[in-house]
């Protein structure tokens, strides 16, 4: 019984059996030193003693097991070091999202363990589409890639945060057999191509997270530029100017002029400033970097850095620049208390616009509802090269909006005119957003009903 218990005990703890063995050895030495028997007799007596034999046996087993375990772990380390390779992709790296997408394409179809990312997309008609994107969950996944097995380990550390994004730190580790690191280069390149393909013809909207630009949601299908109906010639003027700018980098470089261009769209709310810029980005196949200057925590330094670190082929959009300094509803004391600490100052913005650190190829759009509230220094040439007023609807604008909305009517020409005349006759300024809202309300109606309803609905607005 003692013998068997000892074995169980040994297998559980080599440390105890080691001391057990040592104690047996000491006992043997003690026996040899103080016994009056000759040494051979002592040894044969001990050999016949089952307890003593078991003790030595256990000592041997424990020692053997310890050595085996140590050998196995050292062997594994050596094997991993010499015959395997790993690639760690931390969540802060640009390729992280690409690699996740790649793993999703390769593994998420087969794996049963997924995590979900839900996005909402608002259509022009106001309907909201919900899409679920499945990603491989936190844990280990196995992928076969070009005949090789790759282990993908996605981990999330609850204790440490990505300070820039304020989300738990995550990373993906790819492990593969072999030493040829080009395997990882190929995977990263494939992941990049895959990501570019899904974004083809789509606009990526970036927002500032800490001092970095991060894609916000999934790439959006851009609305056609023609769907944003502006007054005669405005859209064409801006498009022509920006296309000329993009096509002529050398013109700027040869003349030593910084390769950047600033635009200011001003006018009442709901007239299409933001929609136009987004549609324009889609037309040019550019992304949009959205920045809210009145965001708490956006300091001059951060703004400066963000302006220089905008991703390639993007338009930087600063909305409501008039509301950035001091805030519309903020007392002067509060504004002064926060100045420079957690919000942007005018001089900080001017610095960011044309300071030494500005990146060379930059397209910047600013929007405001109140141009008269802007400091003259902010909109001087060089900082703002083209200003356009995006105002309330003109008659021709309303006609074109009617055309776009009620595409399938034969008599549109006449009807659009009739509708536009009625709206203009009310004498009230009307924004394109209001017209759009009205059309959505009466979408199902006949033209006569639209005209009849118009007066009633308009007045109730
Ligand atoms: P702003 O930036 O001038 O406040 P938005 O671009 O945010 O206006 O427009 C608000 C809504 O009104 C959007 O849904 C957009 O589709 C619609 N809208 C505004 N102006 C136009 C326009 N000129 N043509 C078509 N739709 C417009």
């Amino acid at each position: 019984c003692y013998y068997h218990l000892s074995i169980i005990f040994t297998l559980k703890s080599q440390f105890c059996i080691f001391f057990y063995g040592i104690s047996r050895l000491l006992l043997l030495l003690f026996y040899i030193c103080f016994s009056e028997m000759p040494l051979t007799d002592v040894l044969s007596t001990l050999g016949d003693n089952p307890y003593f034999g078991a003790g030595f046996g256990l000592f041997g087993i424990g020692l053997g097991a310890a050595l085996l375990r140590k050998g196995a772990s050292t062997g594994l380390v050596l094997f991993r070091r010499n015959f395997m390779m790993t690639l760690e992709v931390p969540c802060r790296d640009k390729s992280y999202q690409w690699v996740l997408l790649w793993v999703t394409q390769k593994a998420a179809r087969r794996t049963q363990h997924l995590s979900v990312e839900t996005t909402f997309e608002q259509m022009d008609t106001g309907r909201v589409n919900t899409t679920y994107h499945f990603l491989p969950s936190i844990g280990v996944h196995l992928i076969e890639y070009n005949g090789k097995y790759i282990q993908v380990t996605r981990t999330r550390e609850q204790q440490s945060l990505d300070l820039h994004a304020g989300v738990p730190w995550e990373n993906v580790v790819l492990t593969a057999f072999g030493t040829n690191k080009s395997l990882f280069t190929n995977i990263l390149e494939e992941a990049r191509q895959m990501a570019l393909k899904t974004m083809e013809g789509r606009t990526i909207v970036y927002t500032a997270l800490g001092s970095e630009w991060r894609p916000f949601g999934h790439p959006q299908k851009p609305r056609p530029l023609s769907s944003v109906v502006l007054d005669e010639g405005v859209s064409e003027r801006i498009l022509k100017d920006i296309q000329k700018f993009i096509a002529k980098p050398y013109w700027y470089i040869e003349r030593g002029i910084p390769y950047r261009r600033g635009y200011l769209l001003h006018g009442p709310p709901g007239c299409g400033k933001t929609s136009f810029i987004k549609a324009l980005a889609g037309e040019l196949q550019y992304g949009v970097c959205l920045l809210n200057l009145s965001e708490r925590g956006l300091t001059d330094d951060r703004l400066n850095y963000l302006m220089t670190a905008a991703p390639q082929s993007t338009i930087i959009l600063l909305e409501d620049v008039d509301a950035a300094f001091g805030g519309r509803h903020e007392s002067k004391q509060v504004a002064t208390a926060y100045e420079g600490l957690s919000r942007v100052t005018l001089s900080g913005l001017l610095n960011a616009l044309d300071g030494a650190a500005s990146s060379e190829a930059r397209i910047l759009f600013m929007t405001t509802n109140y141009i008269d509230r802007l400091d003259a220094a902010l909109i001087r040439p060089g900082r703002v090269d083209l200003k356009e007023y995006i105002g309330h609807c003109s008659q021709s604008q309303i006609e074109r909006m009617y055309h776009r909305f009620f595409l399938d009517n034969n008599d549109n020409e006449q009807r659009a005119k009739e509708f536009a005349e009625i709206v203009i006759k009310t004498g009230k300024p009307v924004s394109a957003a209001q017209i759009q809202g009205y059309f959505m309300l009466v979408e199902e109606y006949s033209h006569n009903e639209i005209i009849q309803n118009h007066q009633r609905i308009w007045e109730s607005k």
Side-chain angles (χ1 to χ4, degrees):
C1 178
Y2 167 71
Y3 176 70
H4 287 292
L5 272 177
S6 301
I7 287 202
I8 293 164
F9 187 54
T10 306
L11 292 177
K12 286 215 158 175
S13 158
Q14 292 142 21
F15 188 68
C16 292
I17 197 61
F18 179 75
F19 278 101
Y20 178 73
I22 293 286
S23 71
R24 297 282 106 180
L25 257 177
L26 288 176
L27 198 66
L28 174 65
L29 285 175
F30 182 80
Y31 213 67
I32 292 168
C33 294
F34 297 103
S35 166
E36 284 171 5
M37 269 196 259
L39 186 61
T40 46
D41 287 356
V42 171
L43 288 178
S44 77
T45 313
L46 286 174
D48 294 343
N49 184 332
Y51 298 116
F52 196 84
F56 263 101
L58 291 174
F59 179 59
I61 290 172
L63 204 64
L67 285 176
L68 256 177
R69 201 173 285 184
K70 186 84 189 145
S73 73
T74 314
L76 201 67
V77 168
L78 283 176
F79 182 77
R80 280 177 72 92
R81 194 170 289 169
N82 293 302
F83 302 105
M84 292 181 89
M85 50 188 184
T86 58
L87 173 75
E88 186 190 344
V89 188
C91 60
R92 276 207 56 201
D93 194 81
K94 295 241 177 343
S95 60
Y96 182 73
Q97 293 298 335
W98 305 339
V99 172
L100 266 194
L101 181 80
W102 182 84
V103 176
T104 306
Q105 296 280 328
K106 296 277 172 190
R109 290 210 188 100
R110 263 163 282 144
T111 184
Q112 282 112 293
H113 309 287
L114 302 163
S115 63
V116 71
E117 214 179 278
T118 310
T119 55
F120 303 102
E121 191 182 359
Q122 180 145 23
M123 316 304 283
D124 287 347
T125 53
R127 224 184 72 210
V128 176
N129 273 353
T130 310
T131 322
Y132 304 106
H133 301 268
F134 292 111
L135 300 172
S137 66
I138 300 296
V140 181
H141 306 267
L142 205 62
I143 292 177
E144 200 199 333
Y145 175 70
N146 288 349
K148 289 196 169 185
Y149 280 98
I150 296 170
Q151 188 194 53
V152 180
T153 315
R154 188 177 169 206
T155 51
R156 179 179 298 152
E157 286 174 32
Q158 297 298 347
Q159 272 80 20
S160 46
L161 279 184
D162 176 354
L163 287 178
H164 288 277
V167 290
W169 183 266
E170 278 192 15
N171 65 12
V172 168
V173 178
L174 307 180
T175 310
F177 287 112
T179 51
N180 187 358
K181 285 170 213 76
S182 65
L183 176 77
F184 290 144
T185 319
N186 293 346
I187 290 176
L188 288 178
E189 188 51 30
E190 195 174 302
R192 192 178 75 92
Q193 295 293 346
M194 199 178 264
L196 286 182
K197 214 165 182 184
T198 58
M199 288 164 199
E200 216 166 38
R202 289 177 176 257
T203 309
I204 310 171
V205 177
Y206 297 87
T207 49
L209 257 181
S211 52
E212 268 190 17
W213 290 104
R214 279 293 175 95
F216 178 70
H218 286 265
Q220 297 166 4
K221 205 162 172 262
R223 66 186 282 175
L225 194 58
S226 58
S227 76
V228 186
V229 183
L230 301 186
D231 209 358
E232 303 279 348
V234 175
S235 177
E236 293 75 10
R237 226 173 8 251
I238 302 174
L239 182 65
K240 210 169 145 194
D241 187 277
I242 208 163
Q243 279 173 337
K244 199 168 136 196
F245 168 75
I246 291 170
K248 282 190 173 176
Y250 288 107
W251 190 92
Y252 285 82
I253 293 165
E254 279 162 14
R255 283 159 185 78
I257 305 170
Y259 187 41
R260 55 181 180 235
R261 200 141 178 94
Y263 299 84
L264 176 76
L265 304 188
H266 60 103
C271 292
K273 297 181 290 296
T274 312
S275 311
F276 175 75
I277 297 164
K278 287 188 179 166
L280 181 72
E283 175 80 21
L284 299 168
Q285 301 199 352
Y286 270 45
V288 178
C289 292
L290 260 182
L291 193 59
N292 183 357
L293 287 183
S294 34
E295 181 189 305
R296 273 282 149 82
L298 180 66
T299 57
D300 289 349
D301 285 348
R302 234 184 94 199
L303 173 70
N304 207 357
Y305 181 77
L306 284 167
M307 288 290 219
T308 57
Q312 274 184 350
S313 302
T314 50
I315 288 174
I316 302 177
L317 171 55
L318 307 182
E319 286 206 277
D320 293 333
V321 270
D322 58 279
F325 315 107
R328 282 179 205 166
H329 311 290
E330 199 165 48
S331 76
K332 219 172 174 179
Q333 277 162 321
V334 176
T336 323
Y338 279 108
E339 201 171 61
L341 280 175
S342 69
R343 65 184 321 152
V344 172
T345 60
L346 176 64
S347 62
L349 175 60
L350 297 182
N351 247 346
L353 291 185
D354 56 7
S358 285
S359 71
E360 288 297 287
R362 191 195 63 202
I363 300 172
L364 174 87
F365 269 85
M366 293 192 273
T367 68
T368 177
N369 296 338
Y370 310 93
I371 191 172
D372 46 318
R373 291 187 191 172
L374 297 183
D375 197 288
L378 182 63
I379 51 177
R380 70 141 169 80
R383 291 185 182 131
V384 170
D385 303 289
L386 186 70
K387 292 184 212 105
E388 283 291 348
Y389 175 67
I390 313 285
H392 286 121
C393 286
S394 65
Q395 184 165 338
S396 92
Q397 231 173 312
I398 301 173
E399 279 178 36
R400 278 180 288 140
M401 283 189 79
Y402 189 99
H403 273 300
R404 280 204 62 83
F405 214 88
F406 303 102
L407 298 168
D408 45 343
N409 271 321
N410 303 327
D411 271 342
N412 257 359
E413 205 71 33
Q414 189 49 38
R415 288 174 173 186
K417 208 166 176 190
E418 191 183 352
F419 175 74
E421 273 170 7
I422 291 176
V423 176
I424 293 294
K425 253 190 225 152
T426 58
K428 288 184 189 168
V430 180
S431 70
Q434 280 173 302
I435 297 281
Q436 178 185 280
Y438 176 67
F439 285 163
M440 275 155 58
L441 217 77
V442 295
E443 196 184 357
E444 306 288 312
Y445 292 11
S446 71
H447 176 70
N448 283 344
E449 284 170 322
I450 292 173
I451 297 289
Q452 280 159 20
N453 269 325
H454 167 261
Q455 209 73 25
R456 187 172 51 79
I457 292 174
W458 217 248
E459 269 154 21
S460 71
K461 271 190 173 205

